[in-house]
Amino acid sequence: MSQVNIKPLADRVLIEPAEAETQTASGLFIPDNAKEKPQRGTVVAVGNGTKDEPLTVKVGDTVIYGKYSGTELNLDGNDYLMMREADILAIV
């Protein structure tokens, strides 16, 4: 897990997406143009939550999120997703 100097506001969460699968379970290699966008990642930073609803995720949690959720960010050469906690489907 990497250290970032960014603090999300309110109910937003910064997630580092997991790497896309390069090989299937049966051993076949997946070409770069056929890889799917991962829907799993690790929480790197969290906001303070809102007055009515505190955040339930914490730094270090592995989460599953929606396919088209979040805004892609590139910080210090690393790719991240900034999204609201409501876009997170589950903690794994």
Side-chain angles (χ1 to χ4, degrees):
M1 196 164 43
S2 58
Q3 280 287 60
V4 293
N5 293 326
I6 189 168
K7 178 72 172 164
L9 298 176
D11 64 341
R12 289 181 178 82
V13 177
L14 186 68
I15 296 176
E16 185 173 22
E19 294 293 321
E21 295 291 325
T22 58
Q23 193 173 5
T24 64
S26 61
L28 297 175
F29 287 96
I30 303 170
D32 289 336
N33 59 353
K35 290 182 184 173
E36 289 192 21
K37 184 177 169 184
Q39 292 177 274
R40 179 184 292 230
T42 305
V43 176
V44 178
V46 296
N48 293 329
T50 60
K51 180 177 149 185
D52 299 328
E53 291 186 40
L55 291 177
T56 55
V57 296
K58 59 188 180 304
V59 174
D61 284 348
T62 301
V63 295
I64 296 175
Y65 49 87
K67 191 168 204 160
Y68 301 106
S69 299
T71 301
E72 295 179 0
L73 300 172
N74 190 321
L75 303 170
D76 300 327
N78 294 326
D79 292 326
Y80 298 100
L81 286 171
M82 179 77 71
M83 65 181 65
R84 293 192 179 272
E85 186 186 38
D87 293 335
I88 296 174
L89 305 175
I91 300 173
V92 181

